[in-house]
Amino acid sequence: QKEVEQNSGPLSVPEGAIASLNCTYSDRGSQSFFWYRQYSGKSPELIMSIYSNGDKEDGRFTAQLNKASQYVSLLIRDSQPSDSATYLCAVRRNFNKFYFGSGTKLNVKP
Amino acid sequence: DTGVSQDPRHKITKRGQNVTFRCDPISEHNRLYWYRQTLGQGPEFLTYFQNEAQLEKSRLLSDRFSAERPKGSFSTLEIQRTEQGDSAMYLCASSSTRASHNEQFFGPGTRLTVL
């Protein structure tokens, strides 16, 4: 079983719609959760972090965490073509070790 | 505030050669991580340093790989006797112990091609 699982996609949404990206993790001891955006050929860019159950909003982005279900999600409101990228979910456990999912590719169609 | 920098950005080498990559973290960050990423996969942990101490090394990392951070600032990753399977993007990330949840910031990466 992988530490972090993501649907590889691609997830296609029309411009202006809400994109919903999901991630599950295997270790209940995971402490912090992160979403990174990665454009093709570029390195990952941190966009959101969440540590407590519930929702955390930052601009058009909302991260949701449910530790009981070992589930993390990222909602992108008013999706733009510039949001088209691969979104990586990462979890931190064992204090300072990070595990990444394989990413979900998002396509936002104009 | 400059971000994480890596050098070189691209490296093409022949099988069997040694290569060395450099990472300069964000200046006040005392933790430094190396990852490897192949197409369609997420970054895979290789090793990490807190200051100059190498605290963990992936069991997947063969003894051809070695990393150093001699003065707790920049770090180098060396791959000896490169193999075609080493072709990947090598990413460096840094973070601060003062950040409550150890948020990591990545450099631009070094893309290695082994012919």
Side-chain angles (χ1 to χ4, degrees):
Chain A
Q1 183 183 10
K2 287 186 178 180
E3 298 278 352
V4 181
E5 299 262 15
Q6 293 183 257
N7 188 319
S8 61
L11 172 67
S12 292
V13 299
E15 184 174 356
I18 295 174
S20 177
L21 304 161
N22 306 313
C23 166
T24 58
Y25 59 95
S26 62
D27 191 322
R28 287 191 176 276
S30 299
Q31 297 153 322
S32 308
F33 308 87
F34 306 87
W35 284 99
Y36 286 83
R37 177 175 61 200
Q38 187 171 28
Y39 293 112
S40 181
K42 302 295 185 182
S43 63
E45 173 192 7
L46 179 66
I47 52 172
M48 286 287 293
S49 55
I50 187 166
Y51 324 115
S52 307
N53 278 328
D55 296 359
K56 180 181 177 183
E57 188 175 319
D58 184 0
R60 295 187 296 114
F61 299 97
T62 298
Q64 299 174 318
L65 174 60
N66 183 326
K67 288 187 177 181
S69 301
Q70 296 174 240
Y71 179 91
V72 194
S73 65
L74 179 70
L75 301 178
I76 307 174
R77 289 181 298 282
D78 188 24
S79 295
Q80 301 297 310
S82 58
D83 294 327
S84 298
T86 296
Y87 288 80
L88 299 166
C89 175
V91 304
R92 180 177 70 91
R93 65 180 185 88
N94 296 343
F95 295 97
N96 295 310
K97 195 165 178 181
F98 284 68
Y99 297 86
F100 285 80
S102 297
T104 298
K105 186 171 183 179
L106 173 67
N107 290 329
V108 181
K109 298 180 177 180
Chain B
D1 179 28
T2 57
V4 179
S5 62
Q6 292 186 245
D7 184 70
R9 297 289 302 277
H10 303 273
K11 179 70 177 179
I12 300 174
T13 192
K14 293 183 179 179
R15 190 175 53 187
Q17 298 295 304
N18 299 344
V19 295
T20 300
F21 309 141
R22 175 177 170 130
C23 172
D24 286 87
I26 293 171
S27 58
E28 67 269 22
H29 284 185
N30 57 346
R31 288 191 180 135
L32 188 149
Y33 294 76
W34 285 100
Y35 293 88
R36 176 173 60 192
Q37 187 178 26
T38 54
L39 195 62
Q41 300 299 314
E44 176 188 26
F45 171 81
L46 294 179
T47 188
Y48 101 91
F49 294 84
Q50 181 162 314
N51 301 314
E52 64 275 11
Q54 187 173 19
L55 296 186
E56 190 160 351
K57 187 174 174 180
S58 170
R59 286 171 291 177
L60 302 174
L61 209 60
S62 81
D63 56 8
R64 295 185 298 106
F65 288 71
S66 62
E68 293 183 342
R69 195 182 183 199
K71 296 182 179 179
S73 56
F74 73 92
S75 175
T76 57
L77 177 69
E78 181 183 17
I79 309 174
Q80 296 182 328
R81 305 181 303 281
T82 52
E83 302 172 356
Q84 288 184 324
D86 297 331
S87 295
M89 174 79 88
Y90 289 83
L91 293 164
C92 175
S94 72
S95 67
S96 170
T97 48
R98 285 181 286 179
S100 56
H101 293 276
N102 200 28
E103 289 85 354
Q104 292 189 348
F105 298 89
F106 283 88
T110 294
R111 183 166 296 283
L112 173 66
T113 303
V114 182
L115 302 176

